Amino acid sequence: MPGNRVVVYKGPGEVAVESIDYPKLEIPQEVADHFGISKAAPHAAILKLVATNICGSDQHMVRGRTTAPVGQTLGHEITGEVVDVGDDVLFVKKGDIVSTPFNIACGRCRMCNEGKTGICLNVNPARAGAAYGYVDMGGWIGGQAEYVMIPYADFNLLKFPDRDQALEKILDLTMLSDIFPTGYHGAYTAGVTTGSTVYVAGAGPVGLAAAYAAQLLGASVVIVGDMNPERLQQARSFGAETVDLSQDASLADQIEQIVGEPEVDAAIDAVGFEARGHGEGAAEAPATVLNDAMTIARAGAGVGVPGLYVTGDPGGIDENAKVGQIGMRLGLGWAKSHSFFTGQCPVKRYNRQLMNMILADKADIAKAVNAVTITLDEAPEGYSEFDKGAAKKFVINPNGMIPQSAG
């Protein structure tokens, strides 16, 4: 039986690649005990990773900005080849190339039956919703690895129809596990539609995916705000307008210069709780983006919040921030009748349709987010470079299965 290697959090600013046991068809003991179910998982599959990506959510843990313990395995963006299945797996077969939603869902509970797979009730003792390789998300082993176990495989896995086509387009298809649906979810729930003007806060991979998704939804103008000139250039590479938040000019004034008025039809927060204020050298101010969104979104607008907010942040700027309580101007949003949509993206709601867009050559998401392939051993370097603001989406190639011609 082969071994297995996985990226592990070693303390603030440090990750390493370590050897662990080859996965078994078993769920975490804490999940089995809490829900009174069998640890054995005949409903599960084991994947040989084809591609697995570094996510900004991972970086929150690696920076020490969550309660993640040393030894936490990492990785929730998973695309792989099925190499083993349990006896109760009926429709997923060995050799299939599949995308795995980052949210783990049982397919049996009320939330799953309502399509709310980001808040499944049966996969995490701590709260509704679970994910691979993430703190307080059920103890599931991370997928920045050579192999990973996927529970409830028939429900969770999205099979690509043609293996050769999938491998050729793998840099696009690997984005289906998280950032493409998450960005799309942010735009869709903000109400982006034909002719909309849109502001996206943050030009990291999720922000870029949200901006690209807003274009797919028919937006007339998409404006991306950030302080990183390389990331802003990446946004401009696919036709987005940009505003430099390190400048002294107000966000509203910069938006007015682009669309002729100081407001937009929809706003998207792709930054989350590590937000900073405006101006060069601005300090951390976790409510900045949400307050910006309410300021520049027109009355009646929607605000999509795919950016991560946490209930435990040891590095928070004050005691309130450490428990996720931030100075949001909710009265402003109430006065303007804004709608807010938060929480994990229910990836299954969107991934099949977005897959179809990729396979039909209608979505070049890998190009939009500047996907770059690295080896598993290069993961620590990738984390470091990403943390410094690289305008790249790092795709790990753990088993050398991504062809050189992919993209």
Side-chain angles (χ1 to χ4, degrees), residues 288-306:
T288 296
V289 172
L290 292 171
N291 289 332
D292 278 350
M294 291 183 285
T295 299
I296 55 86
R298 63 168 174 78
V303 179
V305 189

Side-chain angles (χ1 to χ4, degrees), residues 234-276:
Q234 184 61 32
R236 290 191 291 270
S237 74
F238 57 88
E241 301 286 344
T242 60
V243 293
D244 184 349
L245 299 176
S246 69
Q247 302 300 312
D248 291 333
S250 73
L251 175 59
D253 287 344
Q254 292 190 71
I255 286 175
E256 184 171 21
Q257 290 180 15
I258 296 170
V259 297
E261 57 183 352
E263 60 184 14
V264 292
D265 299 323
I268 302 165
D269 173 3
V271 176
F273 73 103
E274 287 193 68
R276 294 186 175 275

Side-chain angles (χ1 to χ4, degrees), residues 335-350:
K336 296 175 77 173
S337 293
H338 286 158
S339 59
F340 296 84
F341 209 103
T342 68
Q344 286 188 37
C345 166
V347 170
K348 280 177 61 67
R349 188 177 298 175
Y350 309 104

Side-chain angles (χ1 to χ4, degrees), residues 109-157:
C109 70
R110 173 180 175 177
M111 293 298 100
C112 287
N113 281 318
E114 292 179 2
K116 301 173 183 176
T117 53
I119 45 175
C120 174
L121 301 175
N122 292 329
V123 287
N124 183 359
R127 61 170 64 94
Y132 304 91
Y134 213 86
V135 60
D136 295 331
M137 284 291 180
W140 303 87
I141 298 296
Q144 287 169 11
E146 293 172 320
Y147 297 89
V148 69
M149 186 276 296
I150 308 298
Y152 309 108
D154 279 327
F155 183 72
N156 284 308
L157 295 178

Side-chain angles (χ1 to χ4, degrees), residues 50-92:
V50 176
T52 177
N53 317 322
I54 297 175
C55 180
S57 298
D58 299 320
Q59 285 287 16
H60 293 306
M61 286 189 289
V62 174
R63 292 187 188 115
R65 297 299 300 270
T66 72
T67 56
V70 171
Q72 169 75 56
T73 59
L74 301 175
H76 55 268
E77 300 191 8
I78 297 167
T79 306
E81 177 185 10
V82 178
V83 294
D84 196 10
V85 295
D87 291 340
D88 287 349
V89 177
L90 303 179
F91 304 109
V92 174

Side-chain angles (χ1 to χ4, degrees), residues 74-392:
L74 301 175
H76 55 268
E77 300 191 8
I78 297 167
T79 306
E81 177 185 10
V82 178
V83 294
D84 196 10
V85 295
D87 291 340
D88 287 349
V89 177
L90 303 179
F91 304 109
V92 174
K93 307 297 182 185
K94 292 181 183 180
D96 289 347
I97 305 293
V98 294
S99 178
T100 307
F102 76 89
N103 15 57
I104 300 167
C106 73
R108 296 158 165 79
C109 70
R110 173 180 175 177
M111 293 298 100
C112 287
N113 281 318
E114 292 179 2
K116 301 173 183 176
T117 53
I119 45 175
C120 174
L121 301 175
N122 292 329
V123 287
N124 183 359
R127 61 170 64 94
Y132 304 91
Y134 213 86
V135 60
D136 295 331
M137 284 291 180
W140 303 87
I141 298 296
Q144 287 169 11
E146 293 172 320
Y147 297 89
V148 69
M149 186 276 296
I150 308 298
Y152 309 108
D154 279 327
F155 183 72
N156 284 308
L157 295 178
L158 173 66
K159 177 185 174 181
F160 301 136
D162 181 87
R163 179 187 178 92
D164 291 340
Q165 184 187 31
L167 290 174
E168 189 65 27
K169 292 182 174 292
I170 198 67
L171 293 185
D172 292 298
L173 294 170
T174 190
M175 305 305 165
L176 293 173
S177 58
D178 184 351
I179 68 163
F180 197 11
T182 293
Y184 191 93
H185 181 64
Y188 182 81
T189 56
V192 177
T193 187
T194 306
S196 296
T197 57
V198 184
Y199 174 67
V200 180
V206 170
L208 294 172
Y212 189 79
Q215 292 177 336
L216 290 180
L217 286 164
S220 59
V221 180
V222 180
I223 305 165
V224 179
D226 205 297
M227 298 182 184
N228 183 320
E230 291 184 11
R231 290 183 170 182
L232 291 173
Q233 178 56 43
Q234 184 61 32
R236 290 191 291 270
S237 74
F238 57 88
E241 301 286 344
T242 60
V243 293
D244 184 349
L245 299 176
S246 69
Q247 302 300 312
D248 291 333
S250 73
L251 175 59
D253 287 344
Q254 292 190 71
I255 286 175
E256 184 171 21
Q257 290 180 15
I258 296 170
V259 297
E261 57 183 352
E263 60 184 14
V264 292
D265 299 323
I268 302 165
D269 173 3
V271 176
F273 73 103
E274 287 193 68
R276 294 186 175 275
H278 297 175
E280 187 174 357
E284 189 169 309
T288 296
V289 172
L290 292 171
N291 289 332
D292 278 350
M294 291 183 285
T295 299
I296 55 86
R298 63 168 174 78
V303 179
V305 189
L308 175 66
Y309 288 85
V310 296
T311 57
D313 173 13
I317 61 172
D318 55 35
E319 293 305 309
N320 286 332
K322 289 178 180 180
V323 294
Q325 185 171 315
I326 61 177
M328 179 179 172
R329 295 181 62 198
L330 185 58
L332 176 60
W334 190 94
K336 296 175 77 173
S337 293
H338 286 158
S339 59
F340 296 84
F341 209 103
T342 68
Q344 286 188 37
C345 166
V347 170
K348 280 177 61 67
R349 188 177 298 175
Y350 309 104
N351 64 350
R352 185 177 300 276
Q353 293 90 331
L354 295 177
M355 175 190 74
N356 291 339
M357 294 292 285
I358 290 169
L359 296 180
D361 295 323
K362 298 294 175 59
D364 296 321
I365 186 63
K367 184 177 180 181
V369 301
N370 195 21
V372 175
T373 304
I374 61 175
T375 68
L376 187 62
D377 288 320
E378 292 171 326
E381 181 181 343
Y383 269 93
S384 177
E385 192 174 340
F386 188 39
D387 192 46
K388 293 174 183 176
K392 301 174 183 178

